[in-house]
Each structure stands twice: as C-alpha cells, then as structure tokens.
Amino acid sequence: MTKEKKSMKDVPASDEKLADALVTTAFVTMAVINKIGAENDLSLSLIRVLGILWDRRPRMAELADYLGLEKQTMSGLIARAEKRGLVARAPNEEDGRATDVFLTSDGAKLVKRLRVQGQQALAPIIEQLSASDQQLLQKLLQRMFEARKG
C-alpha cells in the first residue's frame, strides 16, 4: 500500500504552523552549528560525525548509513579527521572484517568544547522558555525522533 502525497490544501493549518516552526528552528540551529564549525575549521559533515561519535563507537558502514553518505565519501571524511588526530579506526571486536570509528582523546576534548560553544550560542533562545517548558520541549523532541527510528 502506498501513501499519497498530500497537497498543501490537505494539510491542517496547525500542522503547517508546526512544520514552519520546526523548519525555522532547524535553520537557526544550523546557523549556530555552521558558525561554530567555521570558528573551529570543521565542516558540517565532520561536526555531525564528531557528535555521533561522542557517545558511541559505530562501524564505518553504520556511520555512513546514518549520515546518508556513500562509503567512499565517509572514508575520505574519516581519513581527514584521522590526520587531524580527532578520530581513529580499529577492527570491530565481533566482526574483524568491519571497522569501528571512535574519538581520540583530542577528538573528545574538541567535542566537549563544541558542545559548550553550542550550548552558549543557543542559551539566549532556550532561556526564553521556563525550566518546565524546556523539559517538556526536550521530551517532545526526543519522542518525535524515537518514533522516527522505529
């Protein structure tokens, strides 16, 4: 069974306003991330890789799939990050044919600094919400993206 695309006439106004708010939020957030990347000589793709590696050690293929990149593109990106001493590769313990990617200690220090910079840059926007609204927004966003995984 295929889903038909809805025309804008078929989308309720409340859904349209929510979508607009999400897009605006994404634009503002991406502007912050791009600025931090420029200040640290990091591409957006590399920032995404470093963010993913913050709390996990994926296989190269998983990382490429998650980012929607070709394996060759992913390999080049990781090779450049390795030259900078930010990431390393090692054989996967369960499958010696697969390669894991992980942060080096320098990479972890950089990610910590990037996270602080991001939090500081977004604070003026976030602080407009009460503490309870911030917690609610966080829970709602997490729920939206958990549902997307399934």
Side-chain angles (χ1 to χ4, degrees):
M1 187 181 281
T2 60
K3 293 182 181 179
E4 292 183 32
K5 290 186 178 181
K6 292 183 178 183
S7 73
M8 287 308 294
K9 291 184 244 178
D10 298 333
V11 177
S14 60
D15 289 355
E16 188 175 334
K17 288 179 182 179
L18 178 56
D20 286 347
L22 286 170
V23 169
T24 301
T25 302
F27 287 162
V28 169
T29 304
M30 291 309 300
V32 167
I33 294 169
N34 282 324
K35 182 175 186 262
I36 291 169
E39 291 169 353
N40 291 277
D41 192 29
L42 299 169
S43 68
L44 181 57
S45 294
L46 184 52
I47 289 174
R48 292 177 68 201
V49 167
L50 296 174
I52 291 166
L53 297 179
W54 172 248
D55 62 354
R56 57 190 75 101
R57 182 180 168 144
R59 297 176 182 185
M60 282 283 290
E62 293 169 332
L63 191 54
D65 286 345
Y66 187 81
L67 293 169
L69 298 173
E70 297 292 327
K71 289 179 186 175
Q72 184 176 359
T73 303
M74 188 81 254
S75 291
L77 182 61
I78 295 302
R80 288 188 297 279
E82 278 181 309
K83 285 181 185 175
R84 291 180 66 173
L86 302 175
V87 302
R89 297 183 231 200
N92 180 275
E93 291 180 6
E94 296 171 5
D95 180 355
R97 298 169 297 166
T99 302
D100 289 347
V101 184
F102 56 95
L103 291 175
T104 62
S105 60
D106 285 347
K109 288 175 192 171
L110 175 62
V111 173
K112 283 181 186 178
R113 192 172 77 237
L114 296 174
R115 290 170 60 94
V116 168
Q117 290 175 343
Q119 290 165 356
Q120 289 172 342
L122 292 170
I125 299 166
I126 295 169
E127 290 170 353
Q128 294 179 36
L129 298 175
S130 68
S132 61
D133 282 348
Q134 289 177 31
Q135 290 175 345
L136 176 59
L137 179 58
Q138 179 184 348
K139 287 179 186 177
L140 292 171
L141 290 170
Q142 286 173 328
R143 189 180 326 154
M144 283 174 50
F145 292 107
E146 285 170 4
R148 181 177 174 260
K149 291 177 190 175

